[in-house]
Amino acid sequence: MAITLMFMVLGTVTPFIFLYLKKKSLAAVQTILLIGMWLYFIQVMFMSVVPGAFSITWLMFYASLFLSAVGWVMFIINMVNTSETYRGLTGKRI
């Protein structure tokens, strides 16, 4: 469960990454999905009734994790492109 919690924390940071990348619509969608993700997590951890597969919170949980992975890949690609641009401007080779 610890690895799931780690991915959920990374997913919680993702709307800020989307805002940094100037993707406001994706940030809004991820924020809505985060609500469902955390509700699903709380239901699974602390309630005696586990939500069924393909319920709305189940879909929001996995969609949020998928969208957060997309956001982190976009962020990494942006960082690599930015560093290449700055390296090209300074003329230094590493």
Side-chain angles (χ1 to χ4, degrees), residues 6-86:
M6 183 184 73
F7 282 119
M8 289 175 62
V9 170
L10 287 174
T12 304
V13 176
T14 306
F16 300 107
I17 290 174
F18 284 135
L19 289 175
Y20 173 79
L21 296 173
K22 296 176 181 61
K23 306 285 186 190
K24 292 180 183 176
S25 60
L26 288 175
V29 169
Q30 179 66 10
T31 303
I32 293 168
L33 291 175
L34 281 175
I35 296 167
M37 179 180 74
W38 283 104
L39 284 174
Y40 181 79
F41 178 75
I42 290 169
Q43 286 176 345
V44 168
M45 291 300 293
F46 304 112
M47 306 278 182
S48 61
V49 178
V50 177
F54 300 104
S55 65
I56 188 69
T57 55
W58 185 90
L59 290 170
M60 291 176 83
F61 180 82
Y62 287 106
S64 176
L65 290 178
F66 179 76
L67 191 58
S68 69
V70 169
W72 280 97
V73 169
M74 289 171 62
F75 179 69
I76 291 169
I77 290 171
N78 185 324
M79 289 293 111
V80 169
N81 286 341
T82 304
S83 67
E84 288 291 325
T85 302
Y86 288 137

